[in-house]
Amino acid sequence: MPKITIDGKTIDLPAGATILQAAQALGIYIPRYCYHPALSVSGTCRMCAVEVDKAPKLQIACATEIADGMIARTDTAAVKKARKDVLEFLLANHPVDCPICDQAGECSLQDYYMDYGLHKSRVAPEDKIQRSKHRAAGRYLVLDNERCILCTRCVRFCDEVTKTNELTVSGRSDASFIDIREGKSLDNDYSLNIAELCPVGAFTSRDFRFKQRVWFLKRIKSVCTGCAAGCNIEVHYNENTVYRLMPSPNPETNTWLCDRGRMTYKALQAGDRLRKAFVKKGSMEIEPAIRHAAHLLDEAARKTGPESVVVLGSPYLSIEDNLALAELAATSLKTSNLCLDFPREQGVKDGILINKDDAPDANGLKLLKARYAGLDQGALIELINSGRIKLIVAEARALSSLKEKLRELSNIETVILAVTKSDLDFESACVLPYAANFETEGHFVNYKGLLQKTTPSVAAPDGVKPLWTVLSKLSSCTGAPIRLEDAAELRERISEFIK
Ligand code: SF4
Ligand code: SF4
Ligand code: FES
């Protein structure tokens, strides 16, 4: 393997590695704009220039492969001058509207100017070339051409990752600008990644614009539950409000995030978020509604026996919540009518990330099915359609997924568990709200069998609790508690599934 020495430190790496990669492996940071580890190398910005022994002039580290015995330096006067000159060139026509730019605080132009630039502009503001500002670019993005440094990361993303080719560089020389190709709209399923990989504030997210200065944001790692991919995310939040989701790259799951996944946090603040329970369409405090649900369960069991009640698990719920549902059926209601069988077609749908299965935990549900067995889906549908069932306890989306197979539900009462009203697809005698995945810890198994957990970043609305807590209270009200009183107890109970 070729051996290279950078700033006095030596490393050997496989042939084909670049000076920038070698420096990174040695813990030496080389500034860059156009380089992105998940895109092809374009070598357009020249910010990564370094000195290489025996080379007549500076070389760009992102595009220069290492050679055995190579010696490079990243901290010489010539390198520092080159960085300063590149910055002066990039900023010559830049509007420097940092006070109103969303990228402020995480902008490489700002950061590198402070680290390497600190030059006085030789171009007066009135002489700067003006370009279009705040141009709508698809559903989620805004493009400000004046701020663009023409690194072409956005163009390469659309060409190489989504392969939708919406963007191009139009014009020549200092009249060049990023443009949307004629007849195209920047609406691919991954468009918000462009706002993230743009190193300056040229592409910004319409959703995040002007909502929060980035230095106020706190960050916590979690998992997207928008589909079975189980993408790793970083939740950016402040004062009990989530502002955006960013990828937390993991070679086993994701480099990017899809737009739908990035928007999953919207359910937290949605106008149809359930903050109270509903009983016969009337709003009710949650505790009395739980007692009402227990009464419905008691009545059904008293009149027609426990086998007139069905409990459904859900591929949309965490292992914790499904365990509580299984325990409710087995321990509390003593019905054998438990269904944990939700077969789903899984696999990457678009060759990038999005999974055919929009539920995050069908594989976690299988772990519980191995332990609790229960009805398969065919038997469940037959049973419900037979008319022998008087009451169903189910998470809203799991019940909706059966809708087409169910003939008639109007003579069956339901206790439905939901986060938002839009999840509800059925009239229900009782709707109980529960905490969303950003508000509670929960384990999920993605389509590859990877066990991961969500981390709470914000608190649920007053009185709204994790679903396993709601079900534990419900079981206590029926007189046969499943005893999931606190997180320690829960962890102990699910330990056999999350080894
Ligand atoms: S819009 Fe952003 S990502 Fe695209 S070329 Fe300009 S600076 Fe680079
Ligand atoms: S692909 Fe699935 S898990 Fe990944 S961000 Fe999109 S919805 Fe979330
Ligand atoms: S990062 Fe190397 S030329 Fe842009």
Side-chain angles (χ1 to χ4, degrees), residues 220-223 233 235 437-442 453-458:
I220 200 162
K221 287 188 193 308
S222 193
V223 175
I233 57 174
V235 182
N437 295 324
F438 295 94
E439 298 160 344
T440 182
E441 180 179 299
K453 69 171 179 170
T454 57
T455 318
S457 48
V458 290

Side-chain angles (χ1 to χ4, degrees), residues 224 226-227 229-231 257-258 261 353-354:
C224 176
C227 78
C231 292
L257 292 182
C258 77
L353 208 55
I354 299 171

